[in-house]
Amino acid sequence: MFLTILYGFMRILLYGINFLPELIGTGKYTGEMASWLADHGYEVRVVTAPPYYPDWHVHAGYLAWRYYKEDFLSPQGNKIKVWRCPLWVPRSPSGIKRLIHLASFMFTSITIMFSQIFWQPNIVFLVAPTLFCAPVAWVTAKFSRAKAWLHIQDFELDAAVGLKLLQYNGLRKAAEFFETRSLRSFDRVSTISEKMVDRLYDKGISKERCILFPNWVDAQKIYPLSYPSPYRKELNISPDKIIMLYSGTMGEKQGLEILIEAACKLQNYPEILFILAGTGSARSRLEKQSKGLLNILWLPLQPTERLNDWLNLADIHILPQQADAADLVMPSKLTGMLASGRPIIATALSETQVGKVVSFCGKLVAPGDTKGLITTIQKLAKDPQLQLKLGSTARDYAVNYLGYEQVLVNLEKNLSF
Protein backbone atom coordinates (compact mmCIF):
# COMPACT_ATOMS: atom_id res chain seq x y z
CA MET A 1 0.00 0.00 0.00
CA PHE A 2 3.06 2.28 -0.33
CA LEU A 3 1.56 4.23 -3.25
CA THR A 4 -1.61 4.86 -1.28
CA ILE A 5 0.32 6.33 1.61
CA LEU A 6 2.65 8.37 -0.62
CA TYR A 7 0.16 9.79 -3.11
CA GLY A 8 -3.15 9.47 -1.27
CA PHE A 9 -4.93 7.24 -3.77
CA MET A 10 -5.55 3.55 -4.25
CA ARG A 11 -5.18 1.64 -7.50
CA ILE A 12 -7.74 -1.08 -8.16
CA LEU A 13 -7.46 -3.54 -11.03
CA LEU A 14 -10.85 -5.10 -11.87
CA TYR A 15 -10.71 -8.41 -13.71
CA GLY A 16 -13.72 -10.24 -15.09
CA ILE A 17 -15.34 -11.49 -18.27
CA ASN A 18 -18.38 -9.17 -18.06
CA PHE A 19 -18.50 -5.37 -18.08
CA LEU A 20 -20.57 -2.50 -19.42
CA PRO A 21 -22.16 -1.93 -21.93
CA GLU A 22 -23.80 -5.25 -21.01
CA LEU A 23 -27.18 -4.18 -19.67
CA ILE A 24 -27.93 -6.92 -17.16
CA GLY A 25 -26.15 -9.31 -14.84
CA THR A 26 -22.54 -9.19 -13.69
CA GLY A 27 -21.33 -6.73 -16.33
CA LYS A 28 -23.78 -4.06 -15.19
CA TYR A 29 -22.69 -4.29 -11.55
CA THR A 30 -18.97 -4.44 -12.27
CA GLY A 31 -19.30 -1.39 -14.50
CA GLU A 32 -21.26 0.57 -11.93
CA MET A 33 -18.77 -0.37 -9.21
CA ALA A 34 -15.87 0.80 -11.39
CA SER A 35 -17.66 4.10 -12.02
CA TRP A 36 -18.39 4.68 -8.33
CA LEU A 37 -14.79 3.98 -7.34
CA ALA A 38 -13.45 6.29 -10.05
CA ASP A 39 -15.80 9.05 -8.93
CA HIS A 40 -14.61 8.66 -5.33
CA GLY A 41 -10.91 9.18 -5.96
CA TYR A 42 -9.70 5.69 -6.86
CA GLU A 43 -7.64 4.86 -9.91
CA VAL A 44 -9.41 2.03 -11.70
CA ARG A 45 -8.41 -0.20 -14.58
CA VAL A 46 -10.43 -3.04 -16.05
CA VAL A 47 -9.43 -6.19 -17.91
CA THR A 48 -12.48 -7.78 -19.48
CA ALA A 49 -13.91 -9.24 -22.72
CA PRO A 50 -15.99 -7.78 -25.55
CA PRO A 51 -19.63 -7.46 -24.46
CA TYR A 52 -21.63 -10.55 -25.40
CA TYR A 53 -24.09 -11.30 -22.60
CA PRO A 54 -26.95 -12.23 -22.40
CA ASP A 55 -27.31 -12.76 -26.17
CA TRP A 56 -24.26 -15.04 -26.40
CA HIS A 57 -23.28 -12.96 -29.37
CA VAL A 58 -20.59 -10.27 -29.41
CA HIS A 59 -22.17 -6.83 -29.60
CA ALA A 60 -22.00 -4.69 -32.73
CA GLY A 61 -18.82 -2.65 -32.91
CA TYR A 62 -16.68 -5.41 -31.40
CA LEU A 63 -15.07 -8.58 -32.71
CA ALA A 64 -14.60 -11.69 -30.59
CA TRP A 65 -11.08 -12.41 -31.86
CA ARG A 66 -9.28 -9.10 -31.33
CA TYR A 67 -7.95 -6.99 -28.47
CA TYR A 68 -9.33 -3.54 -27.69
CA LYS A 69 -8.12 -0.74 -25.43
CA GLU A 70 -10.64 1.96 -24.67
CA ASP A 71 -11.40 4.74 -22.22
CA PHE A 72 -14.65 4.37 -20.31
CA LEU A 73 -16.00 7.52 -18.66
CA SER A 74 -17.76 7.45 -15.28
CA PRO A 75 -20.90 9.57 -14.72
CA GLN A 76 -18.69 12.36 -13.36
CA GLY A 77 -16.33 12.15 -16.34
CA ASN A 78 -13.48 10.27 -14.70
CA LYS A 79 -11.50 8.07 -17.06
CA ILE A 80 -11.29 4.29 -16.58
CA LYS A 81 -8.88 2.40 -18.83
CA VAL A 82 -10.44 -0.79 -20.16
CA TRP A 83 -8.67 -3.66 -21.96
CA ARG A 84 -10.93 -6.13 -23.79
CA CYS A 85 -9.47 -9.54 -24.58
CA PRO A 86 -10.63 -12.07 -27.19
CA LEU A 87 -12.80 -15.01 -26.27
CA TRP A 88 -14.80 -17.79 -27.87
CA VAL A 89 -18.57 -17.36 -27.62
CA PRO A 90 -20.60 -20.51 -28.33
CA ARG A 91 -23.95 -20.08 -30.05
CA SER A 92 -25.64 -22.70 -27.87
CA PRO A 93 -23.72 -22.90 -24.56
CA SER A 94 -23.66 -26.31 -22.90
CA GLY A 95 -21.56 -27.57 -19.98
CA ILE A 96 -18.34 -28.29 -21.88
CA LYS A 97 -18.82 -25.34 -24.25
CA ARG A 98 -19.18 -22.99 -21.29
CA LEU A 99 -15.94 -24.27 -19.81
CA ILE A 100 -14.11 -23.70 -23.08
CA HIS A 101 -15.69 -20.25 -23.36
CA LEU A 102 -14.49 -19.26 -19.87
CA ALA A 103 -11.06 -20.80 -20.40
CA SER A 104 -10.59 -18.91 -23.67
CA PHE A 105 -10.88 -15.58 -21.85
CA MET A 106 -8.47 -16.71 -19.18
CA PHE A 107 -5.79 -17.58 -21.75
CA THR A 108 -6.17 -14.44 -23.85
CA SER A 109 -6.14 -12.15 -20.79
CA ILE A 110 -2.89 -13.48 -19.27
CA THR A 111 -0.52 -11.10 -21.04
CA ILE A 112 -2.74 -8.06 -20.42
CA MET A 113 -3.06 -8.91 -16.73
CA PHE A 114 0.67 -9.48 -16.27
CA SER A 115 1.41 -6.16 -18.00
CA GLN A 116 -0.60 -4.46 -15.23
CA ILE A 117 2.04 -5.51 -12.70
CA PHE A 118 4.07 -2.48 -13.79
CA TRP A 119 1.12 -0.26 -12.84
CA GLN A 120 1.42 -1.63 -9.28
CA PRO A 121 -2.23 -1.97 -8.29
CA ASN A 122 -3.05 -2.10 -4.59
CA ILE A 123 -5.93 -4.54 -5.06
CA VAL A 124 -6.52 -7.08 -7.82
CA PHE A 125 -10.28 -7.62 -7.76
CA LEU A 126 -11.48 -10.70 -9.65
CA VAL A 127 -15.21 -11.05 -10.36
CA ALA A 128 -16.47 -14.60 -10.86
CA PRO A 129 -17.53 -15.81 -13.26
CA THR A 130 -14.90 -16.74 -14.23
CA LEU A 131 -13.04 -18.64 -11.52
CA PHE A 132 -10.74 -19.94 -14.25
CA CYS A 133 -8.99 -16.59 -13.99
CA ALA A 134 -8.10 -17.09 -10.31
CA PRO A 135 -4.46 -18.16 -10.91
CA VAL A 136 -3.89 -15.20 -13.23
CA ALA A 137 -5.36 -12.77 -10.70
CA TRP A 138 -3.37 -14.31 -7.84
CA VAL A 139 -0.03 -14.17 -9.70
CA THR A 140 -0.69 -10.58 -10.79
CA ALA A 141 -1.45 -9.62 -7.19
CA LYS A 142 1.65 -11.34 -5.81
CA PHE A 143 4.05 -9.73 -8.27
CA SER A 144 2.35 -6.37 -7.72
CA ARG A 145 2.55 -6.81 -3.94
CA ALA A 146 -1.19 -6.22 -3.97
CA LYS A 147 -4.05 -7.83 -2.11
CA ALA A 148 -6.09 -10.39 -4.02
CA TRP A 149 -9.89 -10.11 -3.75
CA LEU A 150 -12.36 -12.59 -5.26
CA HIS A 151 -15.98 -11.52 -5.65
CA ILE A 152 -18.45 -14.30 -6.47
CA GLN A 153 -21.57 -13.31 -8.37
CA ASP A 154 -22.31 -16.91 -9.28
CA PHE A 155 -21.11 -20.26 -7.90
CA GLU A 156 -20.59 -21.37 -11.47
CA LEU A 157 -19.30 -24.86 -10.70
CA ASP A 158 -22.06 -25.69 -8.22
CA ALA A 159 -24.69 -24.38 -10.61
CA ALA A 160 -23.26 -26.41 -13.50
CA VAL A 161 -23.31 -29.58 -11.41
CA GLY A 162 -26.76 -28.92 -9.94
CA LEU A 163 -28.27 -28.23 -13.35
CA LYS A 164 -26.48 -31.26 -14.83
CA LEU A 165 -24.50 -29.10 -17.26
CA LEU A 166 -21.29 -30.76 -16.08
CA GLN A 167 -21.85 -34.51 -16.00
CA TYR A 168 -18.36 -36.02 -16.40
CA ASN A 169 -17.29 -37.26 -12.97
CA GLY A 170 -13.54 -36.94 -13.51
CA LEU A 171 -13.84 -33.42 -14.88
CA ARG A 172 -16.13 -32.44 -12.04
CA LYS A 173 -13.69 -33.66 -9.38
CA ALA A 174 -10.84 -31.80 -11.05
CA ALA A 175 -12.95 -28.63 -11.17
CA GLU A 176 -13.88 -28.99 -7.48
CA PHE A 177 -10.20 -29.36 -6.52
CA PHE A 178 -9.32 -26.29 -8.57
CA GLU A 179 -12.17 -24.29 -6.98
CA THR A 180 -11.08 -25.17 -3.43
CA ARG A 181 -7.45 -24.23 -4.05
CA SER A 182 -8.47 -21.02 -5.78
CA LEU A 183 -10.86 -19.86 -3.05
CA ARG A 184 -8.29 -20.41 -0.34
CA SER A 185 -5.58 -18.45 -2.17
CA PHE A 186 -7.34 -15.07 -2.00
CA ASP A 187 -6.89 -12.56 0.81
CA ARG A 188 -10.57 -11.70 0.74
CA VAL A 189 -13.61 -13.42 -0.74
CA SER A 190 -16.99 -11.71 -1.07
CA THR A 191 -20.36 -12.73 -2.44
CA ILE A 192 -23.84 -11.28 -2.86
CA SER A 193 -26.14 -12.95 -0.33
CA GLU A 194 -26.05 -14.33 3.20
CA LYS A 195 -26.75 -17.85 1.98
CA MET A 196 -23.88 -17.61 -0.50
CA VAL A 197 -21.59 -16.44 2.33
CA ASP A 198 -22.65 -19.54 4.27
CA ARG A 199 -21.65 -21.63 1.27
CA LEU A 200 -18.19 -20.04 1.39
CA TYR A 201 -17.91 -21.20 5.00
CA ASP A 202 -18.91 -24.70 3.88
CA LYS A 203 -16.11 -24.59 1.32
CA GLY A 204 -13.56 -23.93 4.06
CA ILE A 205 -13.14 -20.14 3.79
CA SER A 206 -12.60 -18.54 7.20
CA LYS A 207 -15.09 -15.96 8.43
CA GLU A 208 -12.32 -13.37 8.73
CA ARG A 209 -11.82 -13.42 4.95
CA CYS A 210 -15.50 -13.50 3.92
CA ILE A 211 -17.46 -10.34 3.10
CA LEU A 212 -21.11 -9.82 2.21
CA PHE A 213 -21.15 -7.49 -0.81
CA PRO A 214 -24.70 -7.54 -2.23
CA ASN A 215 -25.87 -6.22 -5.55
CA TRP A 216 -27.59 -2.86 -5.35
CA VAL A 217 -30.16 -0.63 -6.96
CA ASP A 218 -30.24 3.12 -7.48
CA ALA A 219 -33.52 3.80 -5.70
CA GLN A 220 -33.58 7.37 -7.03
CA LYS A 221 -33.65 6.09 -10.61
CA ILE A 222 -35.93 3.10 -9.98
CA TYR A 223 -39.08 4.09 -8.08
CA PRO A 224 -42.86 3.54 -8.22
CA LEU A 225 -44.65 5.72 -10.75
CA SER A 226 -47.78 7.53 -9.63
CA TYR A 227 -49.32 6.98 -13.06
CA PRO A 228 -49.48 4.06 -15.54
CA SER A 229 -46.24 3.22 -17.29
CA PRO A 230 -45.98 4.81 -20.77
CA TYR A 231 -45.26 1.31 -22.07
CA ARG A 232 -48.95 0.41 -21.66
CA LYS A 233 -49.95 2.93 -24.31
CA GLU A 234 -46.99 2.16 -26.55
CA LEU A 235 -47.74 -1.57 -26.49
CA ASN A 236 -51.49 -0.96 -26.82
CA ILE A 237 -52.27 -2.80 -23.57
CA SER A 238 -55.69 -1.99 -22.14
CA PRO A 239 -55.89 -0.63 -18.56
CA ASP A 240 -57.83 -3.65 -17.33
CA LYS A 241 -54.99 -6.08 -18.16
CA ILE A 242 -53.01 -7.43 -15.18
CA ILE A 243 -49.43 -7.76 -16.34
CA MET A 244 -47.18 -10.54 -15.06
CA LEU A 245 -43.69 -9.40 -16.05
CA TYR A 246 -40.49 -11.39 -16.41
CA SER A 247 -37.55 -9.39 -17.70
CA GLY A 248 -33.95 -10.55 -17.92
CA THR A 249 -31.78 -13.46 -18.89
CA MET A 250 -33.48 -16.47 -20.44
CA GLY A 251 -31.09 -19.28 -19.62
CA GLU A 252 -31.38 -22.79 -18.26
CA LYS A 253 -31.07 -21.92 -14.56
CA GLN A 254 -34.11 -19.61 -14.61
CA GLY A 255 -36.63 -22.44 -15.03
CA LEU A 256 -38.85 -20.33 -17.30
CA GLU A 257 -40.76 -23.35 -18.57
CA ILE A 258 -43.11 -22.99 -15.60
CA LEU A 259 -44.31 -19.63 -16.96
CA ILE A 260 -45.20 -21.19 -20.30
CA GLU A 261 -47.12 -23.93 -18.50
CA ALA A 262 -48.95 -21.40 -16.31
CA ALA A 263 -49.87 -19.24 -19.30
CA CYS A 264 -51.23 -22.28 -21.08
CA LYS A 265 -53.52 -23.09 -18.14
CA LEU A 266 -54.63 -19.46 -17.78
CA GLN A 267 -55.78 -18.93 -21.36
CA ASN A 268 -59.37 -18.61 -20.17
CA TYR A 269 -58.49 -15.64 -17.95
CA PRO A 270 -58.15 -12.86 -20.55
CA GLU A 271 -57.39 -10.20 -17.92
CA ILE A 272 -53.99 -11.82 -17.18
CA LEU A 273 -51.17 -11.06 -19.64
CA PHE A 274 -47.67 -12.50 -19.40
CA ILE A 275 -44.87 -10.32 -20.78
CA LEU A 276 -41.54 -12.10 -21.20
CA ALA A 277 -38.68 -9.84 -22.22
CA GLY A 278 -35.01 -10.62 -22.58
CA THR A 279 -32.61 -12.85 -24.38
CA GLY A 280 -30.49 -15.88 -23.69
CA SER A 281 -29.70 -19.44 -24.65
CA ALA A 282 -33.17 -20.79 -23.82
CA ARG A 283 -35.34 -18.12 -25.47
CA SER A 284 -35.85 -19.72 -28.89
CA ARG A 285 -36.82 -23.03 -27.28
CA LEU A 286 -39.27 -21.31 -24.94
CA GLU A 287 -40.87 -19.34 -27.77
CA LYS A 288 -41.47 -22.57 -29.66
CA GLN A 289 -43.11 -24.09 -26.58
CA SER A 290 -45.45 -21.10 -26.28
CA LYS A 291 -46.52 -21.07 -29.92
CA GLY A 292 -50.22 -20.31 -30.19
CA LEU A 293 -50.58 -18.78 -26.71
CA LEU A 294 -52.20 -15.36 -27.09
CA ASN A 295 -51.68 -14.38 -23.44
CA ILE A 296 -47.88 -14.17 -23.79
CA LEU A 297 -46.14 -11.16 -25.29
CA TRP A 298 -42.48 -11.69 -26.19
CA LEU A 299 -40.24 -8.62 -26.23
CA PRO A 300 -36.52 -7.85 -26.38
CA LEU A 301 -34.55 -6.23 -23.57
CA GLN A 302 -35.50 -2.59 -23.22
CA PRO A 303 -33.13 0.42 -23.16
CA THR A 304 -31.42 1.12 -19.84
CA GLU A 305 -32.57 4.73 -19.87
CA ARG A 306 -36.18 3.49 -19.82
CA LEU A 307 -35.71 0.89 -17.09
CA ASN A 308 -37.96 2.62 -14.58
CA ASP A 309 -40.87 2.87 -17.03
CA TRP A 310 -40.27 -0.74 -17.96
CA LEU A 311 -40.27 -2.16 -14.43
CA ASN A 312 -43.37 -0.10 -13.63
CA LEU A 313 -45.20 -1.82 -16.48
CA ALA A 314 -45.60 -4.82 -14.18
CA ASP A 315 -48.55 -5.25 -11.90
CA ILE A 316 -46.75 -8.29 -10.54
CA HIS A 317 -43.17 -9.35 -11.16
CA ILE A 318 -42.47 -13.05 -11.73
CA LEU A 319 -39.16 -14.59 -10.61
CA PRO A 320 -38.87 -18.29 -11.49
CA GLN A 321 -35.90 -20.36 -10.35
CA GLN A 322 -34.95 -24.00 -10.46
CA ALA A 323 -34.57 -25.66 -7.07
CA ASP A 324 -31.02 -26.84 -7.79
CA ALA A 325 -29.83 -23.28 -8.37
CA ALA A 326 -31.71 -21.58 -5.55
CA ASP A 327 -28.77 -20.63 -3.33
CA LEU A 328 -26.02 -20.80 -5.95
CA VAL A 329 -27.02 -17.50 -7.55
CA MET A 330 -28.89 -14.41 -6.38
CA PRO A 331 -30.83 -13.00 -9.34
CA SER A 332 -29.52 -9.53 -10.14
CA LYS A 333 -32.93 -8.54 -11.51
CA LEU A 334 -34.46 -8.82 -8.03
CA THR A 335 -33.08 -5.46 -6.88
CA GLY A 336 -34.91 -3.53 -9.59
CA MET A 337 -38.11 -5.47 -8.98
CA LEU A 338 -38.03 -4.49 -5.31
CA ALA A 339 -37.26 -0.82 -5.97
CA SER A 340 -40.13 -0.51 -8.46
CA GLY A 341 -42.60 -1.08 -5.64
CA ARG A 342 -44.37 -4.01 -7.21
CA PRO A 343 -45.19 -7.38 -5.56
CA ILE A 344 -43.16 -10.42 -6.61
CA ILE A 345 -44.09 -14.05 -7.10
CA ALA A 346 -41.01 -16.27 -6.87
CA THR A 347 -40.64 -20.01 -7.28
CA ALA A 348 -38.33 -20.52 -4.33
CA LEU A 349 -38.36 -22.25 -0.96
CA SER A 350 -38.68 -20.08 2.15
CA GLU A 351 -35.24 -21.06 3.51
CA THR A 352 -33.39 -19.85 0.40
CA GLN A 353 -32.08 -16.29 0.11
CA VAL A 354 -34.65 -15.38 -2.54
CA GLY A 355 -37.32 -16.93 -0.32
CA LYS A 356 -36.24 -14.89 2.70
CA VAL A 357 -36.51 -11.63 0.77
CA VAL A 358 -39.70 -12.34 -1.18
CA SER A 359 -41.58 -13.92 1.74
CA PHE A 360 -42.49 -10.51 3.19
CA CYS A 361 -42.95 -8.52 -0.05
CA GLY A 362 -44.52 -11.11 -2.32
CA LYS A 363 -45.61 -14.71 -2.61
CA LEU A 364 -43.57 -17.91 -2.71
CA VAL A 365 -44.33 -21.03 -4.73
CA ALA A 366 -42.30 -24.22 -4.59
CA PRO A 367 -40.00 -24.63 -7.61
CA GLY A 368 -41.72 -26.67 -10.30
CA ASP A 369 -45.20 -26.31 -8.73
CA THR A 370 -47.17 -25.12 -11.74
CA LYS A 371 -50.54 -25.60 -10.04
CA GLY A 372 -49.39 -23.56 -7.04
CA LEU A 373 -48.09 -20.81 -9.30
CA ILE A 374 -51.39 -20.59 -11.18
CA THR A 375 -53.38 -20.39 -7.94
CA THR A 376 -51.06 -17.71 -6.54
CA ILE A 377 -51.27 -15.63 -9.71
CA GLN A 378 -55.07 -15.79 -9.68
CA LYS A 379 -55.37 -14.81 -6.01
CA LEU A 380 -52.89 -11.93 -6.14
CA ALA A 381 -54.29 -10.63 -9.44
CA LYS A 382 -57.72 -10.28 -7.80
CA ASP A 383 -56.44 -8.39 -4.75
CA PRO A 384 -55.15 -4.90 -5.70
CA GLN A 385 -54.92 -3.82 -2.05
CA LEU A 386 -52.58 -6.70 -1.27
CA GLN A 387 -50.56 -5.80 -4.37
CA LEU A 388 -50.11 -2.26 -3.04
CA LYS A 389 -49.17 -3.47 0.45
CA LEU A 390 -46.59 -5.98 -0.77
CA GLY A 391 -45.20 -3.52 -3.30
CA SER A 392 -44.71 -0.87 -0.62
CA THR A 393 -42.85 -3.38 1.56
CA ALA A 394 -40.64 -4.34 -1.39
CA ARG A 395 -39.78 -0.69 -2.00
CA ASP A 396 -38.90 -0.12 1.67
CA TYR A 397 -36.56 -3.11 1.64
CA ALA A 398 -34.75 -1.86 -1.46
CA VAL A 399 -34.29 1.64 -0.03
CA ASN A 400 -33.17 0.49 3.43
CA TYR A 401 -30.84 -2.37 2.51
CA LEU A 402 -29.89 -2.29 -1.18
CA GLY A 403 -29.24 1.38 -1.97
CA TYR A 404 -26.43 2.01 -4.47
CA GLU A 405 -24.54 4.49 -2.31
CA GLN A 406 -25.05 2.51 0.90
CA VAL A 407 -23.71 -0.76 -0.52
CA LEU A 408 -20.65 0.81 -2.15
CA VAL A 409 -19.78 2.89 0.92
CA ASN A 410 -19.75 -0.37 2.87
CA LEU A 411 -17.47 -1.85 0.22
CA GLU A 412 -15.11 1.09 0.55
CA LYS A 413 -14.79 0.47 4.29
CA ASN A 414 -13.39 -2.99 3.51
CA LEU A 415 -10.86 -1.95 0.86
CA SER A 416 -8.06 -1.28 3.36
CA PHE A 417 -7.07 -4.69 4.67
Side-chain angles (χ1 to χ4, degrees), residues 1-5 9-16 30 33-34 36-37 42-47 81 113 116-127 134 136-151 185-190 209 211 213 408 410-417:
M1 298 294 180
F2 176 72
L3 285 171
T4 310
I5 297 170
F9 59 78
M10 181 181 288
R11 292 176 169 176
I12 300 178
L13 177 60
L14 294 179
Y15 183 29
T30 303
M33 177 176 66
W36 190 93
L37 291 169
Y42 295 86
E43 280 201 41
V44 181
R45 290 186 176 184
V46 179
V47 177
K81 293 187 180 297
M113 281 296 293
Q116 301 303 314
I117 293 170
F118 300 100
W119 183 56
Q120 292 187 281
N122 302 114
I123 296 176
V124 177
F125 194 107
L126 171 63
V127 180
V136 180
W138 184 85
V139 170
T140 302
K142 287 302 175 184
F143 278 90
S144 303
R145 297 183 180 179
K147 297 292 187 179
W149 185 316
L150 171 64
H151 179 56
S185 67
F186 282 80
D187 299 295
R188 179 148 289 173
V189 183
S190 59
R209 289 192 292 137
I211 296 290
F213 176 31
L408 288 166
N410 287 336
L411 168 69
E412 186 178 31
K413 293 176 182 177
N414 288 295
L415 290 178
S416 297
F417 63 99

Side-chain angles (χ1 to χ4, degrees), residues 35-300:
S35 295
W36 190 93
L37 291 169
D39 287 341
H40 286 76
Y42 295 86
E43 280 201 41
V44 181
R45 290 186 176 184
V46 179
V47 177
T48 186
Y52 71 92
Y53 187 79
D55 309 88
W56 290 90
H57 180 77
V58 173
H59 292 193
Y62 294 90
L63 295 172
W65 49 264
R66 63 162 291 185
Y67 287 89
Y68 295 86
K69 182 180 178 182
E70 57 192 30
D71 289 331
F72 176 83
L73 294 180
S74 71
Q76 295 182 18
N78 291 295
K79 188 179 295 185
I80 300 168
K81 293 187 180 297
V82 178
W83 284 262
R84 296 190 185 270
C85 306
L87 81 168
W88 176 66
V89 182
R91 290 186 178 180
S92 54
S94 61
I96 296 299
K97 288 180 181 179
R98 284 176 186 266
L99 292 178
I100 298 172
H101 159 73
L102 297 172
S104 71
F105 171 69
M106 183 270 289
F107 283 117
T108 64
S109 64
I110 290 174
T111 55
I112 300 298
M113 281 296 293
F114 287 174
S115 72
Q116 301 303 314
I117 293 170
F118 300 100
W119 183 56
Q120 292 187 281
N122 302 114
I123 296 176
V124 177
F125 194 107
L126 171 63
V127 180
T130 169
L131 196 61
F132 269 126
C133 294
V136 180
W138 184 85
V139 170
T140 302
K142 287 302 175 184
F143 278 90
S144 303
R145 297 183 180 179
K147 297 292 187 179
W149 185 316
L150 171 64
H151 179 56
I152 298 175
Q153 284 277 1
D154 186 339
F155 282 108
E156 52 201 295
L157 174 60
D158 291 0
V161 172
L163 296 173
K164 296 181 174 57
L165 298 176
L166 187 61
Q167 300 184 38
Y168 299 99
N169 197 43
L171 184 58
R172 186 180 68 202
K173 288 182 178 179
E176 289 171 348
F177 175 79
F178 172 79
E179 179 192 54
T180 300
R181 293 296 298 270
S182 297
L183 289 174
R184 294 177 180 177
S185 67
F186 282 80
D187 299 295
R188 179 148 289 173
V189 183
S190 59
T191 192
I192 60 176
S193 75
E194 294 173 357
K195 289 287 187 178
M196 292 173 76
V197 171
D198 289 341
R199 188 167 287 268
L200 287 176
Y201 299 155
D202 293 340
K203 292 177 180 290
I205 309 304
S206 64
K207 292 186 178 182
E208 295 76 24
R209 289 192 292 137
C210 291
I211 296 290
L212 174 63
F213 176 31
N215 289 331
W216 54 83
V217 64
D218 189 335
Q220 294 183 342
K221 293 182 178 179
I222 306 299
Y223 55 89
L225 294 176
S226 58
Y227 50 86
S229 168
Y231 272 103
R232 273 194 180 260
K233 184 177 180 180
E234 293 170 26
L235 296 172
N236 198 28
I237 299 172
S238 63
D240 61 324
K241 290 286 186 182
I242 301 168
I243 296 174
M244 321 298 297
L245 178 65
Y246 174 85
S247 180
T249 305
M250 296 183 177
E252 302 304 329
K253 65 189 176 188
Q254 280 74 31
L256 292 169
E257 292 81 3
I258 195 171
L259 299 186
I260 310 301
E261 295 168 7
C264 183
K265 298 293 185 181
L266 288 168
Q267 290 182 84
N268 294 327
Y269 295 82
E271 70 276 13
I272 297 176
L273 175 66
F274 290 81
I275 297 182
L276 307 184
T279 186
S281 58
R283 172 158 175 162
S284 60
R285 174 175 58 79
L286 293 166
E287 284 194 78
K288 290 178 182 177
Q289 291 178 5
S290 68
K291 188 175 181 180
L293 295 180
L294 301 180
N295 57 348
I296 297 182
L297 177 61
W298 291 90
L299 293 171

Side-chain angles (χ1 to χ4, degrees), residues 387-400:
Q387 291 177 36
L388 288 172
K389 179 181 177 181
L390 293 174
S392 177
T393 305
R395 171 68 183 177
D396 289 343
Y397 182 88
V399 170
N400 293 329

